[in-house]
Amino acid sequence: GGYFFLEHAAWNGLSLADFVFPWFMFMVGVSIVLSVQSQLKKGIAKTVILEKVLIRFVKLFVIGALLNTALPGGVELAKWRFPGVLQRIAFTYLVCSVLEILFIPNLGATEQVGGERMTVSDDQNEFTETGKFLSDSDYPEKKMSSWKFGTRVAADAASCRGRSLLFYTWPQWILIVIITAIWCGVTLAVAAPGCPQGYMGPGGLADGGQYPNCTGGIAGYIDRLVFGAHIYQHPTCKAMYKTTQAYDPEGLLGSLTSILTVYTGVLAGHVVVTCKSSRVGLLLRMIILTLCSLIIGLVLCKGSLTDGWIPINKNLWTPSFVMITSSSAYGMLALCYFLVDFTKVWANNPFRAAGKNPLFLYVGSSVLYHFFPFNWATENEHGPLMLQAIVGTLCWILVGVYLDCKKKYYKL
């Protein structure tokens, strides 16, 4: 609608639009756990699961590269953008899936505690599997015991407290810390040519115009060095700071901390699986993760939207940005869980239907963006622009509902 808070921050800072991508990546992490656990429950070998992950990675990457050619008038091959949204999702999905497959066994698919159990449901779409609480009467013919494929972790109160899970996840934690440390070391200690050490500004007119060609610091330099002209040519900082250098918000260095975003979702997935019999325990742990992430993020940015040791910045995908957005993701997931599974006051419709075909809707909205009824010529004012955005969103939700009614689900 042209409102500033619905536009991406020019550089440092945070707007509502900046939450969308990290929230999606967070849910990718949750889905990884549910998908891997569902397949382990069925006795599928980890090598087979890994093969599926690799195939999905390639497909996502190729689709993302092709979407970068969906430009009005066609793509200029000399400037065909190589990084992108789906490419980043594909990369982080691959890394976190490999970590999950390597280190986490079958955590136990069903459990009975206080007459209640939960299963991991395929729900027509392996990539968007969801946890669903079931009463004993739903499956009276089945015994209340966990499947035993390979090593099993008892899904009891002890595992909900995290003792069993931490035994398996500590290698993941170490690797994630190392990856994040690499980002910090390169960003803060390595200087791009002609730029000061640790520079994370937008260049151009920022900082009194002292570093006009330092857009993105070392992150921008690495992308321009590796990809040349094949990166995003219109960064969000261009209009405000009159920058002349291209900068890609989905570049190489930021992909490292994007792994951290997806892994925060993996942690949420672990909580869902290991605390599936304790609704209060699950909510409590989500609240703890929300607060811990928020505190870490606030410390890194010193409680400032635009300043701090490591400012909140989506373009650079800084650790403070990761922690703040992940904190909100934990909170939103806890809220949805409370409304849908705990109190059952909302059946999450119509978004449940749309969520079963996320890739189809994303690709469709990217390809058909310039077509009616998703877009049309209108006045550059808040009212008409907001109406256009609402109509386009409702149309895609209806497409999702229609596909769900027809039981058509498109996945990789």
Side-chain angles (χ1 to χ4, degrees):
Y3 294 98
F4 73 92
F5 52 86
L6 295 178
E7 301 288 343
H8 290 296
W11 196 250
N12 290 344
L14 198 61
S15 71
L16 288 178
D18 294 325
F19 285 92
V20 177
F21 192 14
W23 279 359
F24 190 91
M25 297 184 73
F26 175 90
M27 290 310 300
V28 168
V30 177
S31 298
I32 287 172
V33 177
L34 300 179
S35 176
V36 171
Q37 287 301 307
S38 175
Q39 294 177 79
L40 290 176
K41 178 194 71 175
K42 298 172 184 176
I44 299 175
K46 286 190 173 184
T47 53
V48 176
I49 300 175
L50 180 59
E51 181 181 350
K52 292 181 180 180
V53 166
L54 291 172
I55 293 174
R56 181 172 287 155
F57 159 73
V58 172
K59 289 180 178 179
L60 277 173
F61 198 94
V62 170
I63 292 173
L66 292 176
L67 282 181
N68 285 349
T69 67
L71 303 174
V75 64
E76 185 180 349
L77 293 181
K79 294 183 178 180
W80 182 3
R81 183 189 177 199
F82 291 162
V85 170
L86 285 184
Q87 293 92 313
R88 173 165 286 187
I89 292 175
F91 171 71
T92 53
Y93 163 76
L94 174 65
V95 173
C96 289
S97 293
V98 170
L99 291 178
E100 192 69 9
I101 293 169
L102 286 178
F103 299 113
I104 306 299
N106 180 11
L107 296 175
T110 63
E111 173 198 10
Q112 181 185 22
V113 176
E116 187 173 53
R117 69 175 186 169
M118 190 190 89
T119 68
V120 177
S121 169
D122 290 339
D123 200 23
Q124 301 292 338
N125 193 328
E126 181 179 280
F127 187 68
T128 57
E129 294 169 37
T130 57
K132 179 184 177 183
F133 273 94
L134 302 171
S135 64
D136 295 346
S137 59
D138 289 320
Y139 293 97
E141 75 283 1
K142 292 190 177 181
K143 296 179 179 180
M144 299 297 134
S145 60
S146 298
W147 282 275
K148 297 179 181 179
F149 291 117
T151 306
R152 179 175 69 86
V153 178
D156 53 17
S159 65
C160 189
R161 288 193 292 270
R163 292 201 296 260
S164 298
L165 188 59
L166 285 175
F167 178 78
Y168 295 101
T169 58
W170 67 265
Q172 293 181 338
W173 284 80
I174 291 176
L175 290 172
I176 293 298
V177 169
I178 290 174
I179 290 171
T180 306
I182 291 173
W183 183 95
C184 293
V186 173
T187 301
L188 301 177
V190 181
C195 307
Q197 179 180 327
Y199 183 75
M200 292 188 286
L205 298 179
D207 307 297
Q210 299 180 73
Y211 317 111
N213 297 320
C214 294
T215 302
I218 189 63
Y221 174 76
I222 291 174
D223 289 336
R224 291 188 288 271
L225 180 66
V226 174
F227 297 120
H230 297 280
I231 59 175
Y232 193 55
Q233 300 295 314
H234 306 284
T236 57
C237 60
K238 189 171 185 177
M240 177 176 290
Y241 298 105
K242 309 301 179 186
T243 57
T244 57
Q245 293 280 4
Y247 180 81
D248 203 304
E250 279 75 55
L252 291 174
L253 196 56
S255 294
L256 297 180
T257 38
S258 295
I259 295 173
L260 178 59
T261 295
V262 176
Y263 189 71
T264 58
V266 169
L267 294 180
H270 289 162
V271 171
V272 170
V273 171
T274 58
C275 295
K276 53 184 173 281
S277 64
S278 173
R279 297 183 180 185
V280 174
L282 193 154
L283 283 174
L284 178 61
R285 283 151 185 81
M286 286 296 180
I287 293 172
I288 292 174
L289 287 171
T290 299
L291 295 177
C292 289
S293 300
L294 180 62
I295 291 171
I296 294 172
L298 291 176
V299 169
L300 291 175
C301 68
K302 294 183 178 180
S304 171
L305 270 177
T306 58
D307 204 352
W309 289 300
I310 300 180
I312 301 173
N313 189 299
K314 176 185 178 294
N315 284 282
L316 297 171
W317 213 274
T318 57
S320 56
F321 172 78
V322 172
M323 289 294 101
I324 295 295
T325 54
S326 293
S327 172
S328 64
Y330 284 126
M332 287 297 294
L333 182 59
L335 176 62
C336 290
Y337 177 79
F338 178 78
L339 295 175
V340 176
D341 282 314
F342 195 91
T343 63
K344 300 184 184 299
V345 298
W346 179 41
N348 68 0
N349 290 319
F351 305 113
R352 177 182 175 84
K356 293 180 180 180
N357 273 300
L359 185 63
F360 181 89
L361 299 187
Y362 177 79
V363 172
S365 63
S366 298
V367 174
L368 301 178
Y369 171 74
H370 296 284
F371 291 83
F372 182 84
F374 312 109
N375 201 344
W376 63 85
T378 185
E379 298 176 5
N380 190 26
E381 297 179 356
H382 293 311
L385 291 173
M386 181 58 73
L387 176 63
Q388 185 183 84
I390 292 174
V391 169
T393 301
L394 288 176
C395 286
W396 283 115
I397 290 177
L398 290 176
V399 170
V401 171
Y402 172 80
L403 292 175
D404 186 39
C405 290
K406 293 294 184 179
K407 303 299 180 184
K408 293 184 179 295
Y409 307 101
Y410 300 92
K411 61 180 182 178
L412 298 180

